[in-house]
Amino acid sequence: MSLIFYNTLSRQKEEFSPINKSKVKMYTCGPTVYNYAHIGNLRAYVFADVLRKTLEYSGFAVLQIMNITDIGHLSSDRDSGEDKMTKGLEREGKKLTLENMREMAEFYTKKFKEDLEKLNIEMPSGMYFASDYIAEDIKLIKKLEKKGYTYKISDGIYFDISKDKNYGELRGKKTNTDDALSRLEKNVEKKNPEDFALWKFSDSIGFPSPWGNGFPGWHIECSAMSIKFLGEQFDIHTGGIDHIFVHHTNEIAQSECATGKRPFVRYWLHNEFVDIAGAKMAKSDDNFFKLNTLVEKNIEPIAYRFWLLMANYRTKMNFNWEALEGAEIALKRLYNLYIELHIKKGKVNKEYQTKFKEYLGDDLDTPRALSLLWDLIKDENISGADKKATILDFDKVLSLGFKNLKEEKIPSKIIKLSEERELARKNKDFQKSDDLRAKINSLGYEVKDSSEGYKINKI
Ligand code: AMP
Ligand code: ZN
């Protein structure tokens, strides 16, 4: 199965080829756990899940690592403003201690994992708290320090971007004239406006380091943890598009400068945003919907996954309740059509499977994969049993929950009688066929014939 992905680094679609054919190594930037994840955040994880499952579907083993940011993420991605975890503790009226920070992180991580489960997202192979890997951060910063990439100012240790000739490659080397840059908060002590913190000093709470008490910068955790678990160079890195300009740009700079190896990551894949009423959904603004908001409105969370799959991950989506309700109705229709299919075991239809692979292999074209699913379920030339097997095969990637749908368990005696009746019918022994039908009815079941074969229902 050939796989083509849009690589942010090269700004084009590229054929995927991993460093080591036997295992794809993939890193997914995890959530900052100072609040519930909003449904926009969850798009990043549905996307990473479809990507991982597509890789697995095409025969690769995948090692997927995700960090949980429980320290060091300031309200501006550029190392200014309030610490998000501190803000979370303030909001909840809790004292600012490392223990309370951890407790809050564990609470929101548990909620995050529940959300992943509700969306049929497979847990990453490893999911780790950033605060458990401070030693790895320090080791990496020391390496950078030794190579002359760092300098100290009053509030921390910074990375000097002018020392990295490849800085900004991921975002296309935009320079200071950029809008975003002109809005940068000024820190007069910094050598370059875009220099970023590797370690931030803190008098009140923090972790010990060779430079003083404090916290690692937000970007360093992803470099340190991905290098620890995946190596100095690996295959895929995912995240939302907001991470391209600062977080991932800085991750690349510090990783490549520390290890001296390029490229740090071969394929950078980014999901577009889910907007609400044309505006960005933001955890920090408290203007967001959680997955539980859907549950409160009696909408099954899995309908949200289905709605997301209706667009390519690189297309911006505008969330509204009508669209989601429409998606839920469509999904229920698919469920019903599926449940009505023949109970016998069938075979995966190869023609449909080839198309499914082709669509997913084309930069995860889930909208086309879904329309193929509709075509399949309506295709009168394919037996119900084969349709069922093919849908279950597709669902290894789509994960819409077909295999867990409750089916009426038909007693084996009824199945045996139905098969006898089918044989009698084929042999044109209509008397016998009618007698068997009557017997089945007397046992509380009915057999219906259709172009796809027979179906058994409880009366
Ligand atoms: P955070 O918890 O803020 O670090 O974000 C977790 C993930 O969600 C990151 O990959 C972000 O890029 C992504 N993200 C944040 N907001 C949205 C949104 N509105 N739509 C899609 N992805 C988002
Ligand atoms: Zn990250």
Side-chain angles (χ1 to χ4, degrees):
M1 172 174 172
S2 108
L3 293 172
I4 290 170
F5 299 135
Y6 180 84
N7 188 353
T8 309
L9 191 59
S10 62
R11 278 163 283 283
Q12 60 190 14
K13 282 188 182 178
E14 283 180 37
E15 178 98 33
F16 176 72
S17 164
I19 297 170
N20 181 336
K21 298 268 175 289
S22 66
K23 190 165 259 181
V24 175
K25 293 185 177 173
M26 167 172 166
Y27 187 86
T28 298
C29 277
T32 309
V33 282
Y34 70 111
N35 209 335
Y36 294 96
H38 59 61
I39 56 173
N41 297 133
L42 293 169
R43 184 179 196 186
Y45 305 109
V46 168
F47 147 63
D49 186 60
V50 171
L51 171 60
R52 172 182 169 177
K53 287 174 177 163
T54 298
L55 290 161
E56 287 170 341
Y57 189 79
S58 71
F60 289 113
V62 181
L63 177 65
Q64 184 196 13
I65 300 297
M66 189 190 290
N67 66 306
I68 299 284
T69 300
D70 62 341
I71 43 163
H73 193 172
L74 302 186
S75 60
S76 150
D77 288 353
R78 294 183 180 278
D79 313 312
S80 60
E82 205 183 354
D83 173 79
K84 292 192 178 189
M85 296 301 286
T86 305
K87 195 175 155 189
L89 284 179
E90 275 168 11
R91 190 191 57 235
E92 297 186 358
K94 292 191 180 132
K95 242 179 104 190
L96 183 60
T97 64
L98 286 180
E99 291 71 34
N100 283 347
M101 242 183 215
R102 180 65 180 228
E103 197 185 305
M104 182 176 71
E106 281 176 2
F107 174 81
Y108 287 116
T109 302
K110 186 167 167 273
K111 295 291 160 198
F112 174 66
K113 285 185 179 170
E114 286 170 13
D115 286 350
L116 297 189
E117 216 168 285
K118 285 182 193 143
L119 292 171
N120 287 347
I121 296 171
E122 178 107 10
M123 287 298 149
S125 328
M127 203 189 234
Y128 307 103
F129 284 111
S131 63
D132 289 336
Y133 295 91
I134 308 274
E136 281 74 8
D137 298 334
I138 292 176
K139 208 168 110 193
L140 206 61
I141 302 169
K142 273 178 149 175
K143 255 189 177 177
L144 289 166
E145 189 177 45
K146 213 165 147 204
K147 291 188 172 188
Y149 288 104
T150 69
Y151 63 94
K152 182 177 171 181
I153 57 175
S154 56
D155 72 349
I157 306 293
Y158 279 76
F159 182 92
D160 181 351
I161 66 155
S162 67
K163 298 260 169 74
D164 176 14
K165 64 178 189 323
N166 300 307
Y167 187 81
E169 196 181 16
L170 184 70
R171 65 193 198 200
K173 296 211 178 204
K174 290 184 187 158
T175 56
N176 304 17
T177 50
D178 240 312
D179 241 20
L181 274 185
S182 60
R183 276 187 269 114
L184 265 184
E185 271 179 60
K186 299 257 181 312
N187 178 340
V188 287
E189 289 182 71
K190 285 207 275 187
K191 290 187 183 172
N192 310 288
E194 288 198 276
D195 288 351
F196 56 92
L198 296 165
W199 190 267
K200 273 245 168 173
F201 302 135
S202 161
D203 294 332
S204 47
I205 60 164
F207 298 85
S209 84
W211 311 280
N213 245 33
F215 290 98
W218 171 42
H219 319 300
I220 198 78
E221 75 178 58
C222 285
S223 291
M225 291 165 84
S226 60
I227 290 173
K228 177 174 177 71
F229 293 104
L230 302 175
E232 292 182 343
Q233 291 181 292
F234 58 94
D235 303 300
I236 303 180
H237 198 309
T238 71
I241 46 155
D242 55 328
H243 284 351
I244 300 172
F245 208 83
V246 181
H247 183 50
H248 291 166
T249 287
N250 292 347
E251 251 188 69
I252 293 175
Q254 63 201 0
S255 305
E256 293 186 352
C257 291
T259 66
K261 292 182 184 158
R262 266 168 57 78
F264 167 46
V265 176
R266 289 162 72 137
Y267 304 89
W268 288 85
L269 273 68
H270 294 97
N271 64 281
E272 247 295 355
F273 263 43
V274 174
D275 279 2
I276 179 149
K280 188 181 157 186
M281 205 180 290
K283 241 189 259 189
S284 50
D285 296 343
D286 288 336
N287 83 335
F288 60 82
F289 294 125
K290 301 177 279 196
L291 202 60
N292 269 347
T293 321
L294 271 56
V295 179
E296 284 156 19
K297 287 185 179 269
N298 277 326
I299 297 176
E300 299 223 17
I302 199 65
Y304 182 61
R305 181 177 178 112
F306 185 63
W307 179 72
L308 288 175
L309 299 187
M310 288 159 89
N312 178 269
Y313 74 94
R314 291 198 294 124
T315 306
K316 194 193 276 281
M317 293 185 87
N318 237 314
F319 178 82
N320 66 71
W321 291 106
E322 293 71 38
L324 185 63
E325 278 158 12
E328 190 183 34
I329 291 167
L331 181 60
K332 291 256 164 85
R333 230 185 108 215
L334 273 175
Y335 282 171
N336 286 335
L337 290 168
Y338 173 84
I339 287 171
E340 282 171 14
L341 296 173
H342 208 291
I343 53 160
K344 270 205 256 166
K345 261 198 145 125
K347 286 200 289 293
V348 174
N349 181 285
K350 293 291 170 206
E351 258 172 65
Y352 273 92
Q353 192 184 47
T354 304
K355 281 190 187 158
F356 187 68
K357 285 181 176 174
E358 185 193 317
Y359 299 161
L360 283 175
D362 182 10
D363 202 25
L364 311 177
D365 195 344
T366 52
R368 278 182 94 192
L370 285 185
S371 71
L372 185 71
L373 178 63
W374 282 107
D375 290 347
L376 166 70
I377 216 155
K378 289 182 191 154
D379 192 335
E380 291 183 357
N381 296 317
I382 297 180
S383 75
D386 286 358
K387 278 184 189 175
K388 199 166 210 172
T390 313
I391 292 169
L392 288 179
D393 181 64
F394 288 5
D395 215 37
K396 288 177 191 161
V397 178
L398 302 176
S399 298
L400 295 170
F402 285 102
K403 81 167 180 290
N404 298 326
L405 290 179
K406 294 253 179 317
E407 286 177 55
E408 205 60 71
K409 193 97 180 111
I410 312 283
S412 56
K413 182 176 175 182
I414 304 292
I415 295 173
K416 197 162 165 277
L417 288 171
S418 306
E419 279 170 0
E420 274 176 38
R421 192 198 74 97
E422 180 69 359
L423 192 68
R425 211 169 66 90
K426 276 191 183 145
N427 293 336
K428 302 206 183 322
D429 185 350
F430 297 115
Q431 184 59 51
K432 187 173 178 190
S433 152
D434 283 350
D435 290 348
L436 283 163
R437 176 195 287 279
K439 179 145 193 208
I440 292 166
N441 284 353
S442 71
L443 293 169
Y445 289 85
E446 64 173 1
V447 185
K448 276 192 187 162
D449 297 312
S450 77
S451 56
E452 295 175 355
Y454 65 86
K455 291 176 194 164
I456 310 168
N457 294 319
K458 206 165 179 184
I459 303 172

